[in-house]
Amino acid sequence: MRPNRQQAQNLMSVLIASRKLYNCGLEELVSHYAETGKHLHLYEQDKKHGKAEHPDLPEVVGDTTLKRLHRSFANFFRGCKEGKKIGFPRFKGAHRWDTIQMRDAGPSLKGNSFGAPRQCGGKIRVNVHRPLQGTFKYARFVLRPSGWHLQCVCDIAPSPLPVQANAVGLDMGITYLVADSTGRQLKNPQNLQRSAEMLAKAQRRLAQCTKGSNRRRKAQRVVARHHKRIVHQRQDTLHKISRAYVNGYQVMAIEDLRPAHMVRHHALARAISDASWGQLRQMLTDKAADAGRQLVAVPPHYTSQNCSVCHTRVQKSLAVRTHVCPHCGYVADRDVNAAQNILHAAQAARARTGPSPTGGEGLRGHTR
Ligand SMILES: [Zn+2]
């Protein structure tokens, strides 16, 4: 977005007002529950925060903000019910609030300008870097270290790819980003490594600044930009990888690792790979659903220990990078062997339950 000075001010004050509404709404919900033992309904809370109470906040933004609050409550209670750890909604500090959300409406994007509510500054100039696809759902303004961005969320119809009869197993490692059952290993891109070094440097510089100083504030913004850059580079890589596998294979098998199973390490490389796993899985899930392909998650039992040819268990520590089977003599990279085991497990599971309608019969496993 390219707001002028006045509009940038307007956007900022709407952002702050919506954050205050969120926090105030959260407090209201908590105290209402403490007093009455009942959950305050969204509709009733919405009535309390009308136009008169928040003249500087567009009505749309007031509604969506309260909706967000109630959704995070619903998520929390769902987590309690299903035994998942979903945090209690928290009060939002200035660094935890960067989005102004609009509501379902006709697209207000006309040429190079977006028709924002009056309080946000009215018509705002935007650089449209890609055309809208599908049907427009809603828009939001997001404040990033690089400035304000417009996101248009659209509903896009699935575009299935022709059905094939092949499958691949994928394993995500530390030294390599992904190893597959055909023996291919995809490295973390060089530029990600370089950005990580730049980030570390910027963080060292930040640590040297006096607290509360102007210099520190500037250094903080530099660090934030480096973080964002790394996020974008990683997403770019993962989008390309997931696209390649979804285009190439009918069935993709992965390990069913939940975030809770993953060990957090302070090493940057490991932190990046931790974050990548969940994202890649999500991207594979989304793209597979869109293309009519299948993603099979298998339980991660001894996938790195077993021999993928003769199924003997070959114990090895994390430091051992090569699988050497004393029984049948099979030698492969540790992660490739694991990927082949993951593929076998998925095929065994499919044999038990039978192929699904979209899967196609007689899978040809790409093992070697
Ligand atoms: Zn073997």
Side-chain angles (χ1 to χ4, degrees), residues 306-312 314 323-331:
N306 287 354
C307 173
S308 61
V309 175
C310 68
H311 310 294
T312 321
V314 186
H323 166 83
V324 181
C325 180
H327 192 250
C328 71
Y330 181 54
V331 178

Side-chain angles (χ1 to χ4, degrees), residues 75-362:
N75 284 341
F76 170 71
F77 289 124
R78 184 171 52 83
C80 291
K81 219 188 226 168
E82 295 171 6
K84 281 185 197 153
K85 262 195 186 164
I86 296 176
F88 191 79
R90 54 164 110 202
F91 288 97
K92 303 286 188 184
H95 294 296
R96 289 190 177 274
W97 192 261
D98 58 9
T99 307
I100 300 174
Q101 192 166 325
M102 304 291 127
R103 196 170 30 204
D104 298 25
S108 319
L109 188 65
K110 296 223 166 63
N112 280 329
S113 77
F114 186 87
R118 177 179 50 81
Q119 293 92 330
C120 295
K123 265 190 189 169
I124 302 178
R125 275 215 295 163
V126 289
N127 292 337
V128 182
H129 67 93
R130 74 169 81 160
L132 292 189
Q133 282 176 34
T135 36
F136 177 90
K137 296 291 282 182
Y138 56 87
R140 54 190 169 210
F141 310 144
V142 183
L143 180 61
R144 297 224 182 106
S146 51
W148 284 97
H149 292 254
L150 170 69
Q151 295 182 341
C152 293
V153 179
C154 299
D155 217 352
I156 302 175
S159 45
L161 292 169
V163 174
Q164 313 177 165
N166 58 358
V168 71
L170 305 175
D171 184 53
M172 268 192 101
I174 305 161
T175 43
Y176 283 89
L177 193 58
V178 178
D180 71 23
S181 54
T182 64
R184 204 175 331 152
Q185 288 171 310
L186 303 170
K187 266 191 191 156
N188 263 311
Q190 283 286 308
N191 61 4
L192 201 63
Q193 197 56 45
R194 220 166 25 237
S195 303
E197 282 161 21
M198 302 254 286
L199 171 65
K201 211 169 171 181
Q203 280 172 327
R204 279 199 297 277
R205 213 168 282 152
L206 172 66
Q208 287 163 1
C209 296
T210 329
K211 275 208 168 166
S213 66
N214 240 345
R215 196 179 272 237
R216 184 182 156 88
R217 200 170 44 78
K218 277 181 192 161
Q220 257 167 348
R221 287 187 51 173
V222 173
V223 168
R225 273 209 294 273
H226 279 305
H227 267 299
K228 207 75 212 179
R229 192 180 162 80
I230 289 183
V231 167
H232 288 157
Q233 284 174 335
R234 187 176 67 212
Q235 278 178 352
D236 178 57
T237 311
L238 296 178
H239 270 305
K240 283 172 182 159
I241 291 175
S242 54
R243 176 45 68 198
Y245 281 117
V246 168
N247 282 356
Y249 296 93
Q250 183 65 34
V251 177
M252 289 147 286
I254 56 164
E255 268 184 316
D256 192 9
L257 285 181
R258 301 219 174 78
H261 294 162
M262 286 195 271
V263 195
R264 296 240 153 241
H265 273 250
H266 59 268
L268 205 50
R270 181 58 203 249
I272 290 173
S273 97
D274 269 9
S276 297
W277 218 157
Q279 274 188 352
L280 181 66
R281 181 173 181 171
Q282 191 58 53
M283 287 180 188
L284 284 169
T285 309
D286 295 343
K287 290 193 172 73
D290 183 60
R293 300 271 152 104
Q294 274 183 300
L295 186 68
V296 185
V298 299
H301 290 152
Y302 302 107
T303 46
S304 61
Q305 306 294 336
N306 287 354
C307 173
S308 61
V309 175
C310 68
H311 310 294
T312 321
R313 184 144 314 152
V314 186
Q315 296 284 357
K316 46 188 164 299
S317 74
L318 255 180
V320 180
R321 302 307 314 163
T322 312
H323 166 83
V324 181
C325 180
H327 192 250
C328 71
Y330 181 54
V331 178
D333 180 88
R334 175 202 179 91
D335 295 335
V336 171
N337 179 57
Q340 291 166 352
N341 279 327
I342 291 167
L343 176 62
H344 292 326
Q347 284 169 329
R350 282 171 61 88
R352 274 198 302 279
T353 57
S356 76
T358 52
E361 309 258 344

